[in-house]
Amino acid sequence: MTIAVLFITLFGCMLIGMPIAIALGLSSVTTILLFSNDSLASISLKLFEATSEHYTLLAIPFFILSSSFLSTGGVAKRLINFAVDTVGHIRGGLAMASVMACMLFAAVSGSSPATVAAIGTICIAGMVRSGYPQSFAAGVIANAGTLGILIPPSIVMLVYAAATEVSASRMFMAGFIPGLMMGLILMIAIYIVARVKGLPSQPFPGFKALAKSGLIALGGLMLIIIVLGSIYGGVASPTEAAAVAAVYGYFIAVMGYRDIGPMKGIPWQKSGENIISAAVRNVVQMIIAIPKSVSDPEVRKVLLDASKVSMMLLFIIANAMLFAHVLTTERIPHTIAEQIIAWGLPAWGFLIVVNILLLIAGNFMEPSAILLIMAPILFPIAMKLGIDPIHLGIIMVVNMEIGMLTPPVGLNLFVTAGITGQNMIWVIKACLPWLCLLLGFLMLITYVPQISLFLPEYIDQLNGY
Amino acid sequence: MVRNLITKLEEGFLSVLLVSMTLLVFAEVIARFGFNAGIHWAQEVTLLLAAWFVLFGASYGVKVGAHIGVDVFVKLLPQNTHRFITLVAVGLCLVYCGLFLYGSWIYLSKMKMIGIELEDLPIPKWIPMSILVIGFVLLIIRFLQLGWKVVTNQADGFHFADEAEESMEIAKGLKETVLGEDQPQKAAKEGDK
Amino acid sequence: ISAAPVEIKFSHVVAENTPKGQMAIKFKELVDERLAGKVEVKVFPNSQLFGDNKVLEAMLLGDVQMAAPSLSKFQKYTKTLQIFDLPFLFKDMAAVEKFQNGPEGQKLLNALQKKGLVGLGYLHNGMKQLSSSNPLKVPGDASGKKFRIMTSDVLQAQFEAVDAVPLKKPFSEVFTLLQTKAIDGQENTWSNIYSKKFFEVQPYITESNHGVLDYLVVTSAEFWMGLDNDLKVEVKKALAEAIKHGNTIAAQKALADKQKIIDSRRSEVLTLSDAERAQWVEAMKPVWKKFEDQIGADLIKAAEASNN
Ligand code: NA
Ligand code: NA
């Protein structure tokens, strides 16, 4: 009865188009008022606790901020140049470079649709010009763009960590190999197609050019080094690393790349300027740029965009914690788990059910919302069946990736349609072969837990735990 | 004019909250490694800023359509039915706000009566906690406004945030700069490190 | 006519297999057995209801009837309970017990009355030890090192007294911070060091016994006053028995966990000679003076006397 009321009000509220946060909160409050004697005051206390007692959650706004500083077209351009210089000379190289650029952009940004937009705009047009079919180019990018949430840092992983109290740093480590693997699988598939269809390659630019574009890209890529390095090299917790990343993101975007903000367009070295006077000029200008940033419209826009997304996510999370609270006090996952065990469903069978559930949910909802509703239910059941919490997390993330490519709600599909100017049916068809690849990859991730668990466990071993 | 000013204030306040949280945590890291010191009040203040950020921001989010929801189904309905359903949804949102406002008020009154201070700062606890009441009052105002817009046919839904649409801004910017001047290769020259 | 039983929600933040968890279960069993139909206890472990920072507020709102936060958590409700955080005040758990059961200790149970809370009894975790990434033999070894503390003015002063840097960090982040060496050390009881695996990431543990980590079982004054007198007596009796049960487990666990840590060889356990210990006492004792006004000089004297 309690289960029915909770879920019927939740889905009812969501179906009539209420904000997900409020649908979660309202269904929880209704259930509490009907079935327990908790007061509204203590429910409000619980909500306040959810917004003010979770230090680890703060990594979310900080990463969103750092990623909005670096999710600019300028950063995308630099990463693409580096990728083209690296793998462009292989057969099908431009497509491979696009995948690599997506992976690199994924590493600095947490957002999949942003990856598709930033890399796709340049690369799809570039590939078409070099003689690739447009549908091939679009399909590759839409798929590689989903890596944004699998390659760390990833907001979706932080949300999973928040919902299940699994360590965010371990999740980040666990996503690394699957992310690289997926990228590699895509590249191999591209190579095969390129051989069959006789797709072109680019001239190799030489090591000097490669080193130069690599160095330029490094400014943005340092972010992931800072984040993972500081978590594992012993400087900071994920929250602190995220704050450092946000500050770094500001400096690299405003002072380093100068794509946005008060130093936009100011060159590092003017023609004919000697190095010393250029250095002095740059230092002075950078110092002046810090106070100037406060009133700079572009910097303020980045801040506001990050604020909107972070606030929205944290508000959902706060309400989802009320929802999870109802789930635990009413022992709902426990009841479901006992039922499942009574049926004798094995772990592998349960994982099939998980995948199907998540794939269906992925058709209609955004990744964070799905995780916040599903994780508190699935997690305790998985624990009872002996599934590793990190492994479950990666399975969920890969499912979320696929959800971005399935209609009617598929963020990457929308963006791909937008940048190619094609209709949705065309985009879906273009993505389909690559989507099948991704489904195969999901199977691999689901039934070979070592892919996800190898790195976190190896790091533990290195430290001797 | 006034409306514009209020928007500016809301946006400014929200950004300031986010920036101060970030800088406070950053400062803690710097203090620990640069100066081998701690900032003993930093954590409590950061967390309270987070509460303000979320509870203050929720109403702004309703105003600018920054929340997310599932609107694929209601959008399939005829326009008048859609508007009617939206009104019901707004009504339920108001019920949610009302329940929490009532609960928050009791909670806050109790805290004020007992009169304990924050852990690390000599400030009565109820003062930072007042954002619970403030936040829900603001949220109610925003939902009433939205309801009025739906009644007067200026809106038919919640206007949810669309990550795809926002990402298209990056694409738009790129199309203007890069594809106008062609050749991604050129970009390398502008941005040296 | 039978009225609905009085409901006691017992909310705590640890697992069921800990001394506190066992104490709560024992309490529930005893009440179920003796006051069936009159009082019903529901235990919520693992912060299912509320975390330690919010549980007292929930209690004041009437939504939780019992909880057992650590004594340091009451800092903002009364200054006198800070006495339990003073370094080197008690030489061992026997002294702690003697003080708590004596007239002064029992009077302290009422220290929270003004804020609407009633103390019902003390529950042990044990004596605190110092763990660190470097061996701590004399106070100078701690100088400049970063130690995690719970939010407590006394504990802050205690580390500042040896020129160490106290950092307030949530318990949930301590392991990561120690593992990554973002902080150098922490203070805790044997059972916490073992259960939270701190010994795996801290090469040295100094058996300092420098302080005590105990809990206070509390209820709200409003709830307690509204309870029939005979029920009150029975509940208190059941609680006393449950606490005794919990304390026995805590004592056994402290010994067993210490042994497990030694056997693991992950961490070297250092003992202090009398001369070394005297140095620590000398360095940290000024903290007493600093908090004498807030706690009361007589109370400190009474506590000190329990060592004899
Ligand atoms: Na990412
Ligand atoms: Na989808």
Side-chain angles (χ1 to χ4, degrees):
Chain A
M1 183 60 188
T2 321
I3 301 183
V5 169
L6 182 68
F7 285 101
I8 289 172
T9 42
L10 173 66
F11 290 121
C13 287
M14 283 191 344
L15 213 62
I16 62 170
M18 271 165 73
I20 286 178
I22 296 183
L24 280 163
L26 186 61
S27 57
S28 310
V29 177
T30 312
T31 313
I32 292 173
L33 290 181
L34 286 177
F35 299 100
S36 85
N37 47 11
D38 287 357
S39 70
L40 281 169
S42 81
I43 301 172
S44 304
L45 181 154
K46 194 79 202 162
L47 187 79
F48 193 69
E49 184 184 40
T51 55
S52 69
E53 297 273 336
H54 295 269
Y55 195 70
T56 37
L57 275 185
L58 296 181
I60 292 175
F62 300 160
F63 273 130
I64 290 177
L65 183 56
S66 82
S67 117
S68 27
F69 273 118
L70 292 172
S71 292
T72 62
V75 174
K77 278 189 271 180
R78 296 179 181 88
L79 296 177
I80 291 168
N81 286 332
F82 173 52
V84 170
D85 287 353
T86 313
V87 294
H89 58 280
I90 305 171
R91 188 65 73 93
L94 205 50
M96 288 184 190
S98 312
V99 172
M100 185 176 154
C102 281
M103 290 165 73
L104 296 178
F105 199 78
V108 293
S109 126
S111 157
S112 283
T115 307
V116 175
I119 305 296
T121 309
I122 303 174
C123 287
I124 295 178
M127 278 192 265
V128 171
R129 254 197 323 269
S130 312
Y132 289 77
Q134 194 189 18
S135 62
F136 178 87
V140 166
I141 299 277
N143 272 269
T146 64
L147 290 172
I149 58 172
L150 184 57
I151 293 181
S154 153
I155 306 296
V156 174
M157 285 184 190
L158 287 172
V159 171
Y160 177 78
T164 59
E165 299 190 346
V166 158
S167 145
S169 359
R170 283 177 73 86
M171 277 303 289
F172 280 4
M173 270 296 140
F176 209 78
I177 291 182
L180 289 185
M181 208 169 138
M182 184 61 219
L184 212 64
I185 291 176
L186 279 174
M187 287 198 212
I188 292 171
I190 288 170
Y191 184 74
I192 295 170
V193 175
R195 279 274 159 200
V196 173
K197 289 197 175 178
L199 293 173
S201 58
Q202 309 289 112
F204 184 64
F207 287 103
K208 210 178 147 197
L210 175 61
K212 189 180 174 197
S213 59
L215 203 66
I216 292 168
L218 198 64
L221 292 179
M222 273 298 285
L223 189 87
I224 189 167
I225 299 171
I226 290 179
V227 169
L228 297 183
S230 59
I231 295 175
Y232 286 89
V235 186
S237 64
T239 305
E240 294 175 336
V244 175
V247 174
Y248 178 79
Y250 162 78
F251 275 104
I252 203 74
V254 173
M255 314 259 172
Y257 287 157
R258 303 176 183 179
D259 290 331
I260 57 162
M263 296 188 74
K264 196 169 172 180
I266 298 176
W268 278 89
Q269 192 173 6
K270 291 175 184 163
S271 55
E273 191 179 27
N274 74 46
I275 291 202
I276 295 167
S277 67
V280 172
R281 176 181 58 83
N282 275 301
V283 169
V284 172
Q285 281 173 328
M286 282 183 192
I287 291 169
I288 298 171
I290 294 178
K292 265 185 161 173
S293 299
V294 176
S295 62
D296 185 88
E298 284 177 322
V299 174
R300 289 175 71 143
K301 184 169 181 313
V302 167
L303 285 175
L304 190 63
D305 285 348
S307 299
K308 279 192 223 167
V309 179
S310 316
M311 169 280 298
M312 174 272 288
L313 268 179
L314 291 177
F315 190 55
I316 299 184
I317 292 174
N319 283 283
M321 283 181 172
L322 278 183
F323 182 75
H325 173 73
V326 178
L327 288 176
T328 31
T329 50
E330 299 297 332
R331 302 173 69 77
I332 292 172
H334 188 86
T335 315
I336 302 176
E338 274 175 356
Q339 191 56 249
I340 286 181
I341 289 166
W343 289 337
L345 188 71
W348 63 266
F350 170 72
L351 287 178
I352 290 184
V353 178
V354 168
N355 282 331
I356 292 173
L357 266 177
L358 291 173
L359 289 176
I360 294 173
N363 286 333
F364 304 103
M365 281 198 288
E366 313 230 5
S368 318
I370 299 175
L371 277 181
L372 286 167
I373 295 170
M374 304 293 268
I377 303 170
L378 299 177
F379 186 80
I381 304 173
M383 293 309 98
K384 284 222 159 160
L385 293 170
I387 296 162
D388 188 281
I390 299 279
H391 180 214
L392 179 72
I394 299 296
I395 293 177
M396 294 186 93
V397 172
V398 176
N399 267 295
M400 298 301 103
E401 286 190 74
I402 294 175
M404 298 193 169
L405 294 169
T406 55
V409 179
L411 294 178
N412 286 13
L413 296 178
F414 296 155
V415 177
T416 311
I419 53 182
T420 53
Q422 301 280 4
N423 63 41
M424 279 297 280
I425 306 290
W426 183 90
V427 177
I428 292 166
K429 272 189 191 153
C431 291
L432 202 60
W434 305 98
L435 182 63
C436 294
L437 209 62
L438 201 53
L439 278 169
F441 178 65
L442 173 64
M443 286 292 108
L444 204 63
I445 289 291
T446 308
Y447 293 110
V448 189
Q450 287 77 14
I451 300 173
S452 320
L453 298 178
F454 171 76
L455 198 57
E457 280 173 1
Y458 180 69
I459 300 255
D460 280 356
Q461 240 172 34
L462 275 189
N463 291 310
Y465 309 129
Chain B
M1 182 56 195
V2 178
R3 197 165 288 178
N4 219 332
L5 184 71
I6 290 176
T7 307
K8 281 265 176 307
L9 281 176
E10 278 179 293
E11 293 178 346
F13 188 53
L14 212 53
S15 305
V16 166
L17 287 172
L18 179 61
V19 171
S20 22
M21 276 193 285
T22 314
L23 290 182
L24 213 49
V25 176
F26 183 71
E28 253 194 298
V29 179
I30 298 295
R32 198 165 69 219
F33 286 92
F35 304 96
N36 206 29
I39 307 173
H40 78 278
W41 47 268
Q43 187 184 317
E44 187 173 35
V45 174
T46 312
L47 285 168
L48 288 171
L49 287 172
W52 275 75
F53 178 69
V54 180
L55 294 169
F56 179 85
S59 62
Y60 172 76
V62 172
K63 186 171 91 171
V64 300
H67 291 287
I68 57 168
V70 183
D71 53 8
V72 277
F73 301 109
V74 283
K75 275 185 174 165
L76 296 175
L77 300 170
Q79 209 218 351
N80 275 335
T81 324
H82 182 186
R83 276 177 53 209
F84 174 73
I85 299 264
T86 303
L87 271 184
V88 173
V90 171
L92 287 173
C93 289
L94 284 167
V95 170
Y96 165 92
C97 296
L99 292 173
F100 273 99
L101 181 61
Y102 174 78
S104 304
W105 181 257
I106 295 178
Y107 176 34
L108 199 66
S109 317
K110 188 87 192 181
M111 285 293 105
K112 187 159 187 280
M113 203 186 80
I114 296 161
I116 43 174
E117 289 182 343
L118 293 178
E119 294 288 344
D120 295 322
L121 292 175
I123 298 170
K125 218 171 183 171
W126 70 270
I127 293 178
M129 279 171 50
S130 61
I131 188 58
L132 263 177
V133 170
I134 298 171
F136 281 107
V137 168
L138 290 175
L139 208 49
I140 286 176
I141 295 175
R142 291 302 176 202
F143 279 128
L144 285 175
Q145 281 180 333
L146 178 65
W148 180 247
K149 272 189 180 169
V150 176
V151 169
T152 56
N153 213 355
Q154 300 170 62
D156 54 4
F158 283 83
H159 182 63
F160 290 130
D162 189 340
E163 209 186 340
E165 207 172 274
E166 281 151 27
S167 302
M168 286 309 294
E169 274 181 37
I170 306 177
K172 219 176 102 203
L174 271 172
K175 274 188 176 146
E176 279 159 14
T177 58
V178 187
L179 301 184
E181 61 183 63
D182 223 294
Q183 288 302 323
Q185 234 66 355
K186 252 188 203 161
K189 304 251 158 45
E190 312 166 354
D192 9 13
K193 170 92 216 297
Chain C
I1 323 143
S2 67
V6 178
E7 189 185 49
I8 296 181
K9 284 192 204 163
F10 193 135
S11 164
H12 66 79
V13 297
V14 292
E16 287 183 322
N17 60 4
T18 58
K20 203 199 281 186
Q22 290 292 305
M23 171 260 162
I25 290 173
K26 182 82 180 174
F27 174 62
K28 178 187 165 55
E29 284 169 5
L30 291 173
V31 171
D32 281 357
E33 184 188 309
R34 295 172 192 173
L35 297 168
K38 292 182 196 157
V39 180
E40 194 189 357
V41 178
K42 283 187 184 158
V43 182
F44 296 88
N46 293 321
S47 310
Q48 265 177 24
L49 280 191
F50 298 100
D52 256 352
N53 289 333
K54 286 278 175 248
V55 71
L56 296 176
E57 293 173 9
M59 187 175 280
L60 291 167
L61 291 172
D63 276 51
V64 169
Q65 285 72 38
M66 257 188 213
S70 83
L71 282 156
S72 314
K73 290 279 173 199
F74 295 94
Q75 182 176 212
K76 290 294 157 179
Y77 291 79
T78 173
K79 294 288 175 199
T80 45
L81 284 175
Q82 291 184 113
I83 187 166
F84 290 101
D85 279 345
L86 291 180
F88 294 108
L89 180 60
F90 302 102
K91 71 170 194 234
D92 53 21
M93 286 313 286
V96 174
E97 185 125 0
K98 191 171 161 193
F99 172 70
Q100 287 172 346
N101 292 332
E104 305 287 344
Q106 289 297 305
K107 221 167 77 190
L108 268 182
L109 290 176
N110 295 323
L112 298 159
Q113 206 114 43
K114 250 194 231 152
K115 298 289 182 193
L117 298 172
V118 180
L120 295 176
Y122 302 95
L123 178 70
H124 301 328
N125 186 318
M127 299 298 285
K128 288 187 289 191
Q129 322 300 335
L130 286 169
S131 79
S132 174
S133 52
N134 66 312
L136 300 175
K137 293 289 273 184
V138 291
D141 296 335
S143 171
K145 300 281 183 247
K146 296 176 281 260
F147 287 87
R148 178 266 170 176
I149 55 165
M150 325 194 234
T151 296
S152 152
D153 294 344
V154 178
L155 297 179
Q156 190 175 335
Q158 164 195 299
F159 279 107
E160 280 165 357
V162 293
D163 291 325
V165 183
L167 296 171
K168 288 172 191 164
K169 287 285 160 193
F171 195 44
S172 55
E173 293 218 340
V174 181
F175 182 84
T176 317
L177 291 168
L178 289 172
Q179 181 185 25
T180 61
K181 302 193 174 48
I183 52 176
D184 302 297
Q186 57 92 43
E187 51 155 35
N188 237 310
T189 60
W190 287 116
S191 60
N192 281 349
I193 295 175
Y194 181 74
S195 66
K196 292 295 163 194
K197 298 191 159 74
F198 296 156
F199 70 102
E200 294 188 350
V201 288
Q202 291 270 271
Y204 300 99
I205 302 172
T206 303
E207 187 171 14
S208 55
N209 290 322
H210 65 280
V212 59
L213 178 63
D214 266 17
Y215 308 108
L216 184 65
V217 182
V218 280
T219 184
S220 87
E222 206 180 316
F223 169 77
W224 194 242
M225 297 312 160
L227 214 56
D228 282 347
N229 244 332
D230 44 336
L231 284 185
K232 234 187 258 183
V233 173
E234 281 297 322
V235 167
K236 228 179 161 175
K237 219 175 104 197
L239 187 67
E241 281 174 47
I243 287 179
K244 206 164 170 197
H245 175 72
N247 284 349
T248 314
I249 297 176
Q252 287 165 353
K253 210 168 144 40
L255 272 176
D257 287 348
K258 177 182 165 189
Q259 196 53 48
K260 282 184 203 156
I261 291 169
I262 294 171
D263 293 345
S264 78
R265 298 170 152 215
R266 300 304 306 268
S267 192
E268 190 182 334
V269 175
L270 310 169
T271 45
L272 297 175
S273 70
D274 287 346
E276 284 162 346
R277 192 177 159 84
Q279 286 188 49
W280 284 95
V281 176
E282 194 192 341
M284 286 183 170
K285 211 165 168 181
V287 176
W288 297 16
K289 195 90 206 139
K290 199 172 164 192
F291 288 88
E292 200 179 75
D293 290 344
Q294 293 181 21
I295 297 170
D298 294 344
L299 198 60
I300 297 179
K301 274 217 182 68
E304 214 183 348
S306 64
N307 286 318
N308 309 317

